[in-house]
């Protein structure tokens, strides 16, 4: 047999180039085989929805489907090998998670990892990806929304129901078992007026602060067959019979969940301190009255989870809020910047360069927190796109002045007047709205104050005092009925 002819010998330079090309091909093939690397996994549980985040060094591709009863979400992630970081998801599920019962993870096929999320009830999942932003790399996100969420207005009224008639249980028609006839009649009026207020705010472009109220809806009678109420419930009802409606103040703790907000030099997260201030303020509002009418605080978030900017506005409108107060902790490039500030909306530009910079920074929260751009909620989009009215801005400035004076009594002010800028969360066209920067978290001294419970209490006291003084000069019922 004739031996094969030897391969022609290539010149040294061409041989080196081919060898280098082979090396490149080998490295590329190795990278493809290796797939994405997982940077971190996180779970954010909340009543509104629970979020699962998988962060990786390159974009992940996933397909998902809901599976029967009990409800489960099955997700197949391509280009991924099972590793210890992914397995951490199993242990991160909390027993009190309102939506997720558990997570299972396994290697479904070569290069495909399957996640199965066992759910506690019917859900409407959203699965989407986020491009790198701020400190985050690529993120694959699962948002698990309850198929039948609790209506926030119903929840507020249910709390009031307990005060009117003792312990309340949900029943068809919203009535409470064990309530007296007087209590249910009073509650019917209360619900009717709250629905009237909420419906007013649901109409786009309506300036409730200056528009006449439409005719009241028919009186709701909520009598249901029930055992004889306890004497304490009967005794409470006549004293409550004169209630007109709840005065609702929407409190908006900034940032949350994937979006930490500003971070102080000592590692304090803005999202944490503003939530603590909001919770303290909520307790004070819930124990206060306006002209004999009870006040109730509504929080756009009451835990560590992310809420898109437009959703914060839409939530306040859905419950028929009389005021909207967004609570933040400022940050600046220079650590010596100090003092609290109050902002109202501006449609034509910011009142200062610093105000413009701050508004742009706060409006970036959706990119950091992670919004599913594939979903378009018409109500949410309308809330953002509606132009605010002159009447709303005028009321917001009066509210801001009242709040600023009270905050100035417990700490330093950064500016002695209400500043203005185009903040997304202040764009409700029908609710007086302000954004309060409680202090500069980027200032070491003010960061320590913000972490102090005594200073948080002082801030909450100042804010409730400012709200009450605003309502003293602008009674909410008269304001709503003013032509």
């Amino acid at each position: 047999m004739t031996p094969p002819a030897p391969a022609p010998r290539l010149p040294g330079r061409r041989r080196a180039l081919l060898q280098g090309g082979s090396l490149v091909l080998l490295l590329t093939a190795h990278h493809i085989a290796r797939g994405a690397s997982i940077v971190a996994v996180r779970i954010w549980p909340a009543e509104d929805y629970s979020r699962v985040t998988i962060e990786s060094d390159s974009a992940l591709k996933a397909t998902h489907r809901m599976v029967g009863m009990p409800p489960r979400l099955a997700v197949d992630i391509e280009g991924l090998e099972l590793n210890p970081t992914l397995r951490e998801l199993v242990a991160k599920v909390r027993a009190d998670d309102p939506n997720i019962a558990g997570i299972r993870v396994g290697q479904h096929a070569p290069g495909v990892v399957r996640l199965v999320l066992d759910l506690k009830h019917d859900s409407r999942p959203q699965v989407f990806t986020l491009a790198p932003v701020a400190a985050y790399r690529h993120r694959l996100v699962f948002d698990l929304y309850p198929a039948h969420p609790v209506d926030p207005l119903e929840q507020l009224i249910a709390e009031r129901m307990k005060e009117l008639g003792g312990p309340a249980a949900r029943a068809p028609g919203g009535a409470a078992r064990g309530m007296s006839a007087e209590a249910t009649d009073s509650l019917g009026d209360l619900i009717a007026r709250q629905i009237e207020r909420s419906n007013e705010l649901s109409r786009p472009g309506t300036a409730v602060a200056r528009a006449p109220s439409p005719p009241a809806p028919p009186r709701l009678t909520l009598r249901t067959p029930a055992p004889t109420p306890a004497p304490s419930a009967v005794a409470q009802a006549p004293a409550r019979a004169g209630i007109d409606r709840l005065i609702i103040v929407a409190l908006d703790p900034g940032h949350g969940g994937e979006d930490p907000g500003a971070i102080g030099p000592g590692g304090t997260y803005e999202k944490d301190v503003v939530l603590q201030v909001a919770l303290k303020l909520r307790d004070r509002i819930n124990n206060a009255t306006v002209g004999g009418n009870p006040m109730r605080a509504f929080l756009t978030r009451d835990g560590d989870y992310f809420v898109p900017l437009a959703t914060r506005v839409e939530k306040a409108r859905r419950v028929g809020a009389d005021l909207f107060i967004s609570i933040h902790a400022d940050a600046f490039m220079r650590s010596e910047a100090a003092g609290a500030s109050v902002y109202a909306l501006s449609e034509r530009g910011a009142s200062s360069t610093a105000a413009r910079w701050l508004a742009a920074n706060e409006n970036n929260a959706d990119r950091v927190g992670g919004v599913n751009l594939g979903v378009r909620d018409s109500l949410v989009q309308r809330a953002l796109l509606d132009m605010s009215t002159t009447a709303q801005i005028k009321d917001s400035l009066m509210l801001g002045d009242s709040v600023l004076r009270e905050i100035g009594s417990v700490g330093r002010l950064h500016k002695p007047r209400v500043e203005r800028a185009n903040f997304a969360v202040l764009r409700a066209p029908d609710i007086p709205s302000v954004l309060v920067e409680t202090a500069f978290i980027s200032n070491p001294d003010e960061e320590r104050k913000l972490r102090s419970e005594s200073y948080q209490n002082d801030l909450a006291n100042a804010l409730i005092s400012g709200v009450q003084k605003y309502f003293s000069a602008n009674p909410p019922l008269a304001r709503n009925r003013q032509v």
Side-chain angles (χ1 to χ4, degrees):
M1 179 182 293
T2 304
R9 187 174 181 82
L10 296 173
R13 186 168 179 270
R14 289 185 62 191
R15 185 170 64 251
L17 286 172
L18 283 177
Q19 289 172 345
S22 300
L23 180 61
V24 170
L25 289 173
L26 287 171
L27 288 174
T28 303
H30 173 74
H31 178 73
I32 292 172
R34 179 181 64 84
S37 293
I38 303 302
V39 176
V41 293
R42 295 178 292 274
I43 299 180
W44 307 96
E47 291 286 346
D48 286 15
Y49 73 104
S50 292
R51 168 171 287 192
V52 178
T53 303
I54 299 176
E55 187 178 357
S56 58
D57 63 354
S58 59
L60 296 172
K61 182 180 179 181
T63 58
H64 69 280
R65 68 184 188 278
M66 287 294 294
V67 182
M69 292 298 293
R72 303 181 300 282
L73 174 68
V75 183
D76 288 340
I77 308 173
E78 300 178 17
L80 202 58
E81 300 296 327
L82 188 59
N83 58 40
T85 306
L86 270 176
R87 292 186 186 275
E88 290 177 11
L89 274 174
V90 176
K92 285 182 178 287
V93 178
R94 287 172 22 184
D96 62 350
D97 189 309
N99 304 295
I100 303 175
I103 294 180
R104 292 170 282 151
V105 58
Q107 193 74 47
H108 178 62
V112 179
V113 169
R114 172 166 291 180
L115 269 65
V116 177
L117 289 78
D118 298 309
L119 307 177
K120 293 184 175 180
H121 46 68
D122 289 340
S123 297
R124 293 175 179 169
Q126 295 181 13
V127 179
F128 56 98
T129 58
L130 296 169
V133 62
Y136 293 116
R137 304 183 76 174
H138 295 272
R139 285 176 287 174
L140 175 63
V141 178
F142 318 133
D143 283 349
L144 301 161
Y145 290 87
H148 306 288
V150 175
D151 183 86
L153 180 57
E154 178 185 339
Q155 200 167 31
L156 282 176
I157 294 175
E159 293 174 3
R160 189 62 185 159
M161 185 186 297
K162 292 181 181 179
E163 297 174 9
L164 283 169
R170 290 184 63 179
R177 298 183 182 91
M179 291 184 65
S180 67
E182 292 88 348
T184 53
D185 282 345
S186 178
L187 180 62
D189 288 337
L190 174 59
I191 294 176
R193 289 181 175 88
Q194 291 304 131
I195 291 174
E196 174 187 340
R197 168 70 177 165
S198 182
N199 288 341
E200 286 174 339
L201 295 189
S202 70
R203 288 193 287 272
T206 304
V208 173
R210 297 287 179 248
S213 297
R219 177 171 172 165
L220 301 180
T221 302
L222 300 177
R223 293 189 180 93
T224 57
T228 303
S232 59
V234 176
Q236 288 180 13
R240 304 285 189 177
I243 291 173
D244 197 342
R245 68 171 178 86
L246 292 176
I247 308 303
I248 299 176
V249 179
L251 303 179
D252 176 48
H255 310 282
E258 294 280 282
D259 176 20
I263 303 175
T268 306
Y269 285 1
E270 177 185 4
K271 67 174 182 177
D272 294 333
V273 295
V274 299
L275 178 59
Q276 291 163 9
V277 172
L279 291 172
K280 288 177 169 59
L281 179 56
R282 177 189 66 181
D283 294 341
R284 287 157 174 78
I285 289 174
N286 288 349
N287 288 308
T289 61
V290 172
N293 294 283
M295 295 179 70
R296 182 68 61 187
F298 169 75
L299 269 66
T300 59
R301 72 174 180 96
D302 57 5
D304 187 11
Y305 57 98
F306 173 70
V307 181
L309 298 174
T311 304
R312 296 169 186 263
V313 176
E314 194 264 340
K315 280 185 168 188
R317 301 182 84 197
R318 189 186 300 167
V319 298
D322 294 277
L323 298 179
F324 181 94
I325 301 176
S326 192
I327 304 174
H328 291 256
D330 213 345
F332 199 60
M333 295 170 285
R334 298 195 309 270
S335 61
E336 63 269 21
S341 307
V342 177
Y343 294 84
L345 182 69
S346 172
E347 295 179 290
R348 296 183 177 85
S351 56
S352 68
T353 302
R356 185 182 305 109
W357 179 87
L358 178 63
N361 192 52
E362 296 292 1
N363 291 346
N364 196 43
D366 277 356
R367 293 186 64 234
V368 179
V371 173
N372 183 6
L373 298 178
V375 173
R376 289 289 184 267
D377 186 316
S378 60
L379 286 177
V380 170
Q381 295 302 314
R382 187 175 66 201
L384 259 188
L385 295 175
D386 276 341
M387 297 302 288
S388 291
T389 64
T390 301
Q392 185 263 18
I393 293 177
K394 181 179 178 181
D395 284 339
S396 299
L397 289 170
M398 290 190 290
L399 171 62
D401 282 334
S402 181
V403 168
L404 189 68
R405 283 194 298 270
E406 297 303 314
I407 292 178
S409 66
V410 301
R412 176 179 173 180
L413 293 179
H414 185 63
K415 291 286 181 68
R417 63 184 181 279
V418 178
E419 292 278 283
R420 296 182 64 181
N422 191 12
F423 290 92
V425 293
L426 302 183
R427 294 177 190 165
D430 34 31
I431 307 173
S433 306
V434 295
L435 185 144
V436 177
E437 294 285 356
T438 54
F440 277 83
I441 200 170
S442 53
N443 182 306
D445 292 335
E446 295 204 335
E447 179 190 19
R448 283 190 289 272
K449 287 171 62 178
L450 284 169
R451 296 176 64 150
S452 161
E453 186 169 358
S454 63
Y455 184 65
Q456 292 174 10
N457 283 324
D458 288 344
L459 282 171
N461 290 335
L463 289 169
I464 182 62
S465 179
V467 167
Q468 289 177 311
K469 290 183 178 178
Y470 167 79
F471 276 135
S472 295
N474 304 272
L477 299 180
R479 183 167 53 85
N480 291 343
R481 293 169 182 160
Q482 183 174 349
V483 178

